[in-house]
Amino acid sequence: MANFVQCKCGEKIATVRFRKADSVVCRSCGLIVYADGHTATKTAVIERRKPVAKKVRPSGFKPRLVMPAQFLGLAPIFYLNLVLAIVAVVVLIAYGGSRQVVSDSKPRPYSNKLNEWTQQESTINARIKEAATVKVNVKSIINDIMLNEVPASYKKTVGSTVIIEPQSYRIVNGERRSIGYGRPSSGFVFSPSGSVSGEDFYIITTFAAVDMADYVTVTFSDMSVARGSIAGGDPDSNIGVVRVPKKFLANAEEYRAVPTTDNVSLGEPIQTLGGIGMNTGLSLYRGAISFLKRARQSRLASGRPSGKCSVFYQTNCVINPGMEGGPAFNARGEIIGVSMSYLSEDDLGAELGISYEYVNGVNLILPIGYALKIANAIVKDGYFKRATIGVEFEVLDPADPASSLVVSYVEPESPAGKAGIVPGDRVLTIGATPIEVRVSGDIPALYRTIADLKTDAKIALKLQHAGAERTAELTPIEATDPQDFEFYCEDWGLSLRILTPREAAKRGLGETRGLFVSSIDRGGRAAEVNLRIGDIIVSIEGKLPVNRAELEELYIQLTSDQTLRNVFFKVIRSGYTRLFLLRNVKKISSGANVN
């Protein structure tokens, strides 16, 4: 039940109206009624609630910071203007202090230089007038330049450089003839390591120059000509070696080996020297090293793969057709490599992915250290021994070195195949040598490491297979056959070489023996009957030669037979046996022409 407070006017005010306030206004008379019952007018209330001024106690001095909003907003601009003003004052002071007031009576600073130029001009004009009155012997000046200004490097190298033209015995219409074939190559004299006879010159050239040759014709820089024999060759590096007896040369002491070096730097100026044919002389070109580690695999004219283990110098120095095998040398006359290949427009597009029109020559040079290693082995053994484990590698992702190099191919029945290595495996170490391959240019060095392995000792390979590491032991085998040379059958229009056991196993032929067709002449008799490169010939007229000597003897016997109209070939292609008949001779005993 609510309590009431009575106003002076008799109005009862319920206490609930006060709530938290201590007073309310009466609705009847307008007086202010308090909770205790007394009343008051509004004016009295105002006077009652007027605040009383408090006494301020003395305290320490505290100045008040006045920071107007306008001043704070303009502070950055103010300070910036202040800094600029200071800088302007400093510049004005410095410029005013550096100014030199020069009176018109004294020469200005450039007057001295002008006087020097005037004196030099007078001296030059005087010499020109003097020279005009004297007859100059231009011929003597040119001779002096040619004798004294020709680079000493060329003089050191030219005596060792030669032009090589391959020659071969062919049976043409039943007659044995000696003919040249293919384009000439170049080469240069070198000094083999080890104990060799001093009665012969040894010349580095290309494998293409000696591959199908019975002998070569060698032309020296002074146009002396000699006959050279084949010491051997290595198709993978495209290096061949020719032997020339000194006794047949009148000026043998002038043809000397040139110093070599492996110290080559990027951008170093070099020169290439070689010829484009017999009786044409030598050509000299200048350029520079543009890249130190260029990997490039290619095929020789005979169809053989080349360059698997080779790393080349790239240069803009000209290497014309016929200059392959010639020397590339530096300004000191030291040979740095063997001119190996010139890249055509198609090569640049396929191998390097660049447009020919933007490149002024991109050619390759095989470093001399690797070339001499191969050449010395050829002089000693007749060929370069190279080991293999039967695998091929590929770089998948150059941006991820941890997973980029993988095994891409494993030859059947190879050491790697027998050890359980499969495509997709990663080779981490070969023996104690860790494998670090990041780009395709590093792969030839890996193949070279494998090629240098011993073929009579086991080697452990650390692998990563399906994410787990394991170790495989295997024994490398020899990859090169000393009789792996081609024989060109001109009358039949094809080249043959002995099928090695390794190649037979690679093609799934087991222990099949035969002859490998390495090249086909366009429009020749083999092309007429649709023989192809890669065919395996297992019988020629019921006979199968086992080496090059037997193949040459059989070829001479069959092509000399004037009564043998066709030659019977038994061939394996894609696992199937096929029979072919090739026209043998142009004329038969009756005199009828069978062309």
Side-chain angles (χ1 to χ4, degrees), residues 108-120:
R108 295 187 180 275
Y110 64 82
S111 299
N112 295 332
K113 287 293 183 183
L114 183 60
N115 293 334
E116 292 179 6
W117 295 338
T118 303
Q119 292 176 1
Q120 292 178 4

Side-chain angles (χ1 to χ4, degrees), residues 240-298:
V241 177
V242 172
R243 184 188 298 109
V244 178
K246 292 182 179 180
K247 61 182 180 180
F248 297 117
L249 295 167
N251 302 319
E253 66 280 357
E254 298 182 3
Y255 316 131
R256 55 190 179 278
V258 179
T260 63
T261 181
D262 287 323
N263 186 15
V264 178
S265 59
L266 189 66
E268 180 177 359
I270 65 166
Q271 302 169 66
T272 54
L273 186 63
I276 59 174
M278 308 297 291
N279 303 320
T280 59
L282 300 175
S283 299
L284 177 69
Y285 295 95
R286 295 182 179 182
I289 297 294
S290 57
F291 200 81
L292 291 175
K293 292 177 62 178
R294 178 69 67 195
R296 181 178 185 264
Q297 295 190 39
S298 59

Side-chain angles (χ1 to χ4, degrees), residues 115-162:
N115 293 334
E116 292 179 6
W117 295 338
T118 303
Q119 292 176 1
Q120 292 178 4
E121 181 182 10
S122 301
T123 303
I124 293 172
N125 289 333
R127 291 183 179 179
I128 292 174
K129 292 179 181 180
E130 182 182 357
T133 61
V134 179
K135 293 183 179 180
V136 180
N137 188 351
V138 179
K139 184 176 181 180
S140 63
I141 295 177
I142 295 176
N143 290 337
D144 182 67
I145 292 175
M146 293 300 296
L147 291 175
N148 299 317
E149 299 299 329
V150 171
S153 57
Y154 169 75
K155 294 181 180 179
K156 291 181 180 179
T157 312
V158 66
S160 68
T161 307
V162 301

